[in-house]
Amino acid sequence: SQTIHQWPATLVQPVGSPLSLECTVEGTSNPNLYWYRQAAGRGLQLLFYSVGIGQISSEVPQNLSASRPQDRQFILSSKKLLLSDSGFYLCAWRGQPSNQPQHFGDGTRLSIL
Amino acid sequence: AQSVSQHNHHVILSEAASLELGCNYSYGGTVNLFWYVQYPGQHLQLLLKYFSGDPLVKGIKGFEAEFIKSKFSFNLRKPSVQWSDTAEYFCAVSRGGGADGLTFGKGTHLIIQP
């Protein structure tokens, strides 16, 4: 069966520090991969999605970037974190065809001090 | 771009009461519709989905939802709630045939009182 791993579960970082959150999927090939953020009092917002290695689509302009170095690995990064980057970050994957539901990881709670 | 509106942000019910959570979306094309649930301390999981066919879909744990295309709605229902239904519920929509992600509503925090 397919599983999705996301780490770390909790992260506290100072303003201006770099960020790297990793997400890996097991048990499937060529998944669509997604990064979402949930800020306090708001719903989940799509940040990036990827349909293949090296292919990244950004949904909103921001301080973050994403990369997909391998088929089942999706990384969320920042060179310099801002206070506004605090939130709950969720990784998700989806198989084919396009009407398949997305499956979510456990999320990373990111606090910026 | 599509958007999703959930009308109730906080709902408190007693056990055995009936539940209906409203969800409306704005998008003129073909859509896929979802309800996700997040129980306390757990990850988001799929409750039910609609892609095509019968507009009344049944999900896990006795939940169902009805897609009314003319009203752009996908309301979630359960005839008799249980204490274990306490959770956050999210309505989401994706474009039919698209690779891009889900657009979520802001969620409804449901509390069931024993």
Side-chain angles (χ1 to χ4, degrees):
Chain A
S1 64
Q2 303 92 350
T3 55
I4 180 169
H5 302 282
Q6 201 180 328
W7 67 91
T10 306
L11 189 60
V12 180
Q13 292 283 98
V15 170
S17 64
L19 173 74
S20 180
L21 301 181
E22 190 162 342
C23 171
T24 58
V25 181
E26 295 177 358
T28 186
S29 297
N30 196 30
N32 285 7
L33 296 172
Y34 305 87
W35 279 110
Y36 291 87
R37 175 173 60 200
Q38 185 176 26
R42 303 180 64 178
L44 285 107
Q45 181 184 35
L46 178 66
L47 301 177
F48 302 95
Y49 69 93
S50 171
V51 299
I53 295 174
Q55 300 179 61
I56 307 295
S57 297
S58 175
E59 287 294 297
V60 293
Q62 59 202 299
N63 183 43
L64 302 167
S65 61
S67 61
R68 186 171 176 174
Q70 300 179 45
D71 181 45
R72 289 168 289 178
Q73 185 185 29
F74 204 25
I75 298 172
L76 185 69
S77 305
S78 173
K79 293 182 179 178
K80 283 187 177 181
L81 285 167
L82 306 172
L83 280 174
S84 58
D85 291 324
S86 291
F88 189 60
Y89 290 83
L90 280 166
C91 181
W93 73 273
R94 194 205 77 194
Q96 304 298 336
S98 63
N99 62 6
Q100 292 300 303
Q102 292 184 19
H103 304 276
F104 289 83
D106 289 334
T108 296
R109 175 76 58 191
L110 176 64
S111 299
I112 309 301
L113 303 180
Chain B
Q2 59 264 39
S3 65
V4 178
S5 175
Q6 289 182 241
H7 315 301
N8 316 100
H9 298 301
H10 297 277
V11 174
I12 302 175
L13 294 173
S14 299
E15 277 193 313
S18 64
L19 170 72
E20 180 160 2
L21 301 182
C23 173
N24 286 90
Y25 67 94
S26 64
Y27 182 67
T30 303
V31 292
N32 301 319
L33 298 158
F34 307 84
W35 275 97
Y36 282 85
V37 60
Q38 188 168 27
Y39 297 104
Q42 297 186 29
H43 61 269
L44 267 175
Q45 54 187 287
L46 183 70
L47 202 54
L48 47 78
K49 61 183 188 278
Y50 171 81
F51 297 132
S52 63
D54 189 345
L56 182 63
V57 293
K58 295 190 184 299
I60 60 172
K61 302 184 180 183
F63 285 91
E64 64 179 32
E66 185 175 12
F67 170 50
I68 303 179
K69 190 175 182 179
S70 61
K71 295 184 178 181
F72 296 89
S73 70
F74 191 55
N75 292 355
L76 181 71
R77 299 194 294 251
K78 185 171 183 177
S80 177
V81 295
Q82 300 171 307
W83 176 79
S84 58
D85 293 324
T86 294
E88 190 92 20
Y89 292 80
F90 295 93
C91 181
V93 66
S94 68
R95 291 186 302 158
D100 50 354
L102 297 168
T103 300
F104 281 86
K106 291 186 178 181
T108 296
H109 188 201
L110 175 65
I111 296 174
I112 307 300
Q113 295 177 331

